[in-house]
Amino acid sequence: MPVLYPPGTIGIIGGGQLGRMMIYRSKKLGFRFAVLDSEDAPAKSLSDIFINGSLKDPDALEKLAGVSDIMTYEIEHINIDALGNLESRGYRMYPCASVLGIIQDKGFQKELFVKKGIPTSSYFTCDKPESFDFSANKFPLVQKTRRGGYDGRGVRVLKNKEDAPMNSPSIFEEMIDINKELAVMVARAQDGSVAAFPVTEMAFNPDHNICDTVIAPARIDEKTASCAHEIAISVVEALDGVGIFGVELFLDNHGNILVNEVAPRPHNSGHYTMEACVTCQFEQHIRSIAGLPLGDTSLIRPAVMLNILGQKQSRGKMLIEGFEKALNVPGLSLHLYGKIESRPYRKMGHFTVTSGTLNEAIEKSEYIRNLLKIGGENTEGDSK
Ligand code: ADP
């Protein structure tokens, strides 16, 4: 495939924070960016060409394709038939529509892992959970709807056979005794070369299941880290993917590493690379889809990233508390996504603290967590 040189135009389907950061960090290579999304999209103000439309609308996708040399996406819930159609007419897209087709369905992901001998939790699929007889199953089970879930939506733990499952085609996994949730960002270039970023540790907030904290590097031994790298790379190779991929892993209490799922795009667990690695995940993605050499993924300093979510009890025009104090902390890098409205648990921004030691970065991040708050101007009752 031909290399895309600057000032070629890269089309991004979706203009959320991932698209915004992709543009922000890759414009330095001289590319131009076209974005498809609605008018209030965070990436709009950074784009060279903006197309106002739905990510699912074939006509809007066609318009984006018409102004782009290559296309990519920052979200996986998009119209795969329309993408396949564009590909069949010669438009270039990375990762390609067939990769997205596997990833959009958790059942297909699992099938691929099993077929390729990639370690993952045991599971079964069921298209009509409401009429399935669970009496012969071992509990607890983790139910995941095959399609459409994200940030824990579409995941339910069934403790026993009295717990009602969600009525949607699903996979049911054995419950893993998780020691740590890990993630590895892996980029794969058009020539098949791969580069993995350091293994990170992710912590989730049980209130809303959104990733809360990412610690880089993960506090695991070298053998576990190299095993995590090897497995994560094997996932992206099994997909034959081109671009950056976020591979989510479980380290269980017996030292086993199991693949949970994979995202075909920059990932929340890789935001820290913007300050802590030689090349960041966003530039790495653009390098890989443009057919350029992959960059150096070395960690420069330990880092901790925290998401800044809209406060639970308010919504409306964004208000920020503790801004100056946070900006005074050495090692802090703050990213706000330009979203005007705050809503409960909306991802409004994130910050990364880099420091000489990981413990110092953790301490500073906790200090900033307690002082930096984003909410909306209208307070409301307990709205989850
Ligand atoms: P989503 O695609 O919505 O992010 P995940 O598959 O990542 O859903 O699951 C959300 C969370 O549920 C995981 O981060 C993990 O904490 C928990 N989880 C998922 N699968 C299992 C499992 N098999 N055993 C134990 N916990 C699990």
Side-chain angles (χ1 to χ4, degrees):
M1 280 297 174
V3 173
L4 179 70
Y5 291 101
T9 300
I10 297 171
I12 309 176
I13 304 169
Q17 60 264 19
L18 298 179
R20 179 181 166 103
M21 290 186 273
M22 220 185 266
I23 300 176
Y24 162 63
R25 290 305 295 251
S26 307
K27 273 210 164 177
K28 72 180 168 90
L29 290 178
F31 290 110
R32 287 165 50 79
F33 288 89
V35 169
L36 165 65
D37 208 331
S38 55
E39 282 294 337
D40 59 350
K44 181 184 173 186
S45 60
L46 278 78
S47 60
D48 297 286
I49 302 170
F50 185 77
I51 295 168
N52 179 15
S54 156
L55 313 188
K56 298 197 168 158
D57 173 11
D59 293 338
L61 289 164
E62 178 99 33
K63 261 194 213 157
L64 182 74
V67 296
S68 307
D69 294 301
I70 56 173
M71 288 199 290
T72 189
Y73 39 86
E74 55 125 50
I75 180 166
E76 51 266 46
H77 301 299
I78 49 179
N79 183 338
I80 199 155
D81 294 335
L83 299 192
N85 179 287
L86 290 172
E87 270 181 352
S88 68
R89 290 189 290 124
Y91 291 107
R92 290 165 62 200
M93 174 137 28
Y94 301 104
C96 67
S98 60
V99 169
L100 187 59
I102 295 171
I103 289 177
Q104 278 185 347
D105 186 313
K106 287 187 173 179
F108 293 161
Q109 279 194 48
K110 281 292 216 185
E111 250 173 54
L112 179 76
F113 300 156
V114 171
K115 186 169 134 207
K116 299 283 183 176
I118 293 167
T120 191
S121 60
S122 63
Y123 79 105
F124 62 91
T125 52
C126 175
D127 282 346
K128 283 199 168 25
E130 60 276 27
S131 50
F132 186 75
D133 179 5
F134 285 94
S135 52
N137 287 101
K138 252 175 80 181
F139 286 89
L141 284 171
V142 183
Q143 179 184 12
K144 299 180 182 178
T145 55
R146 291 184 68 146
R147 307 179 76 87
Y150 67 98
D151 283 343
R153 285 171 233 200
V155 177
R156 181 176 294 176
V157 175
L158 306 180
K159 292 193 203 72
N160 52 50
K161 63 180 176 10
E162 274 71 50
D163 275 353
M166 294 176 280
N167 293 340
S168 180
S170 297
I171 59 170
F172 290 84
E173 297 182 3
E174 70 173 306
M175 179 97 170
I176 301 299
D177 194 7
I178 299 173
N179 182 286
K180 279 184 195 302
E181 299 203 33
L182 306 174
V184 182
M185 297 307 304
V186 177
R188 186 160 176 270
Q190 292 185 18
D191 65 2
S193 56
V194 288
F197 285 92
V199 185
T200 59
E201 211 176 306
M202 293 188 291
F204 290 80
N205 184 319
D207 267 0
H208 44 65
N209 255 316
I210 298 175
C211 172
D212 176 79
T213 309
V214 172
I215 292 176
R219 293 162 294 179
I220 52 177
D221 60 41
E222 253 175 58
K223 198 167 143 244
T224 309
S226 82
C227 177
H229 268 147
E230 209 174 286
I231 292 173
I233 290 169
S234 72
V235 169
V236 179
E237 286 177 337
L239 284 163
D240 197 19
V242 170
I244 194 126
F245 292 79
V247 184
E248 297 182 19
L249 306 162
F250 298 140
L251 172 64
D252 75 9
N253 279 325
H254 310 285
N256 302 308
I257 292 178
L258 304 162
V259 176
N260 177 28
E261 60 174 357
V262 55
R265 52 169 172 77
H267 191 255
N268 209 163
S269 71
H271 290 356
Y272 79 95
T273 58
M274 285 194 278
E275 289 80 22
C277 294
V278 178
T279 311
C280 77
Q281 63 163 348
F282 299 102
E283 180 183 334
Q284 193 78 314
H285 180 60
I286 297 302
R287 285 179 180 232
S288 50
I289 67 173
L292 297 167
L294 298 177
D296 180 352
T297 56
S298 312
L299 187 74
I300 305 166
R301 294 207 328 154
V304 176
M305 189 243 36
L306 262 74
N307 280 324
I308 308 171
L309 305 181
Q311 298 255 282
K312 188 176 165 187
Q313 293 94 346
S314 66
R315 61 174 70 228
K317 189 164 173 274
M318 180 187 118
L319 298 174
I320 183 160
E321 226 181 83
F323 199 47
E324 291 92 332
K325 273 194 182 161
L327 290 174
N328 255 326
V329 178
L332 168 97
S333 181
L334 182 58
H335 297 253
L336 297 183
Y337 302 147
K339 298 179 183 175
I340 312 288
E341 295 264 315
S342 179
R343 292 195 290 270
Y345 303 131
R346 187 177 195 199
K347 283 181 180 163
M348 301 299 290
H350 76 266
F351 67 84
T352 298
V353 184
T354 57
S355 204
T357 67
L358 189 54
N359 281 342
E360 218 171 80
I362 292 173
E363 270 170 33
K364 285 184 179 175
S365 69
E366 287 306 320
Y367 169 73
I368 300 163
R369 180 206 296 277
N370 291 325
L371 66 88
L372 189 64
K373 311 269 181 228
I374 290 189
E377 59 184 3
N378 309 315
T379 36
E380 52 187 48
D382 196 21
S383 60
K384 193 175 169 193

